Amino acid sequence: MHRSAQRARSVLRLAARHSLYLAFGLAAALAAAGASAQDAYPNRPIRVVVPYPAGGNTDIIARDVMKELSRRLGQPVVIDNKPGANSILGTELAAKAAPDGYTLLVVIGAYANNDSLYRQLPYKSSELVPISQLTRTSLVLVTARPGLRTLDDLVRSGAQGPSPQSFASSGVGSAAHLLGERFARSTAMKGAMHVPYKGTADATTDLVSGRVGFMFDAISAMGPHIRQGRLAALAVTGQDRSPLLPEVPSLTELGHPELVTYAWAGVLAPARTPPAIVRKLADEFAQVMKGDELRTRLAAISTEPVGSTPAEFARFIAQEARVNGDVIRQLNISLD
């Protein structure tokens, strides 16, 4: 009986050891299969959701960049325009997609601001992971009001004039609105009045006519009006002067480094996308953004290539969300 019990215990130990070996072997096989799948990435087309209409600046930048990415990866990279609700519809679609590296999302400044602008969003920022900041674009401060030819002229008119200075934007909570508010507060332009429009075109019409005092907008959009003398460019919002407006000083030169601002674009992926795929994509985008042909095309719209790491892009988004979120909360803006 004693020997029988010993044999039984031996058999159980052997069985347990065998099961453990099988478990280790299975785990190793699964890890190897996962690594192999990631090494083979991509082996089919990649969809890039652009939550804005076709033909706009964001779409143009995305198509130029993704064309180069496709060449490097050897797979089609397909743009899927999903506009609506201040980019929320397309962002939700990407956030809920499979985290396999085959659905990516292009975002701009609205993405960083929407958490503060909306009380309820159909997605959480934790459902998306940063890959790389692609570009940054200087804006320009313009006016058509007579006698305003420098930033100091504008500031004095808003601080000492008989009536508040007004500024235009494409809507409440837009990048131009938030920057206009930051500018008015930083320069002590008392009572600067925000005039929201339904879009940039309507705002520009009233800006050029002088019905509204000033506005921040893309150099590519304001350039023709500046060249024709219909608008005066007072400052660019980048760290340095723009090659497209070399005679116009930067806000840093003018003593306002706290107001340095860029329009920007970057790429996210669904959370839980394998880290190896995120790193691979970030490395590929970094190389894409160094391309001479792409840099030339971007320069034509006063846009600079970036190509950051995931960690750098995460810090950048957090800083954008903090700065603009503070303004949104101070103004008690809510879009839902």
Side-chain angles (χ1 to χ4, degrees):
M1 185 66 131
H2 180 66
R3 281 196 292 274
S4 177
Q6 282 183 326
R7 280 197 298 272
R9 284 195 294 270
S10 296
V11 169
L12 287 172
R13 282 196 297 269
L14 286 171
R17 191 178 303 159
H18 184 63
S19 297
L20 188 60
Y21 289 153
L22 283 175
F24 279 136
L26 180 60
L30 288 173
S36 176
Q38 290 173 28
D39 289 343
Y41 172 86
N43 55 24
R44 56 187 171 88
I46 297 171
R47 176 177 66 155
V48 177
V49 177
V50 176
Y52 296 97
N57 262 11
T58 304
D59 179 66
I60 291 169
I61 289 170
R63 289 177 187 275
D64 283 344
V65 171
M66 298 309 164
K67 187 195 319 184
E68 299 303 319
L69 180 68
S70 176
R71 288 177 186 169
R72 288 190 59 86
L73 295 180
Q75 290 290 341
V77 180
V78 182
I79 300 294
D80 187 7
N81 295 96
K82 295 291 183 183
N86 198 22
S87 80
I88 292 171
L89 295 182
T91 302
E92 180 189 12
L93 178 67
K96 308 299 183 187
D100 54 11
Y102 290 96
T103 298
L104 306 178
L105 173 69
V106 171
V107 295
I108 61 173
Y111 171 76
N113 300 338
N114 279 349
D115 273 341
S116 297
L117 288 170
Y118 296 88
R119 289 186 293 268
Q120 290 187 322
L121 288 170
Y123 62 87
K124 295 182 176 66
S125 56
S126 59
E127 293 181 276
L128 291 157
V129 61
I131 295 178
S132 180
Q133 183 183 348
L134 300 179
T135 62
R136 65 182 194 178
T137 306
S138 289
L139 307 177
V140 61
L141 170 60
V142 288
T143 182
R145 292 275 174 89
L148 303 183
R149 289 297 177 263
T150 68
L151 188 73
D152 285 344
D153 291 340
L154 176 62
V155 170
R156 278 194 297 270
S157 75
Q160 303 169 4
S163 61
Q165 186 60 267
S166 60
F167 67 96
S169 83
S170 58
V172 173
S174 65
H177 174 203
L178 300 178
L179 180 55
E181 295 285 359
R182 288 173 55 205
F183 173 74
R185 292 169 184 224
S186 182
T187 57
M189 292 180 67
K190 300 173 184 177
M193 183 174 64
H194 173 226
V195 184
Y197 290 81
K198 291 183 179 179
T200 301
D202 290 341
T204 302
T205 297
D206 277 4
L207 179 73
V208 169
S209 71
R211 293 179 64 186
V212 65
F214 67 93
M215 185 167 75
F216 291 92
D217 205 347
I219 294 173
S220 57
M222 296 295 104
H225 300 290
I226 295 169
R227 288 190 290 272
Q228 293 163 14
R230 303 170 72 191
L231 291 174
L234 307 184
V236 294
T237 66
Q239 185 72 36
D240 304 305
R241 295 192 179 202
S242 167
L244 294 186
L245 296 171
E247 73 286 357
V248 179
S250 70
L251 284 173
T252 300
E253 288 179 64
L254 296 172
H256 294 283
E258 76 285 358
L259 292 173
V260 168
T261 303
Y262 295 93
W264 55 270
V267 179
L268 309 178
R272 300 183 304 282
T273 297
I277 289 178
V278 171
R279 287 194 300 270
K280 178 181 177 66
L281 285 168
D283 290 344
E284 293 294 342
F285 280 121
Q287 294 304 312
V288 164
M289 303 315 295
K290 292 177 182 177
D292 290 339
E293 184 180 342
L294 178 60
R295 295 173 78 93
T296 299
R297 289 201 299 271
L298 293 175
I301 55 172
S302 194
T303 296
E304 304 171 45
V306 179
S308 65
T309 67
E312 288 168 342
F313 191 28
R315 287 193 295 271
F316 176 81
I317 291 173
Q319 172 71 2
E320 288 282 292
R322 184 189 65 77
V323 170
N324 287 326
D326 286 346
V327 177
I328 291 165
R329 285 184 287 274
Q330 289 165 13
L331 295 173
N332 197 28
I333 300 173
S334 178
L335 298 185
D336 59 3

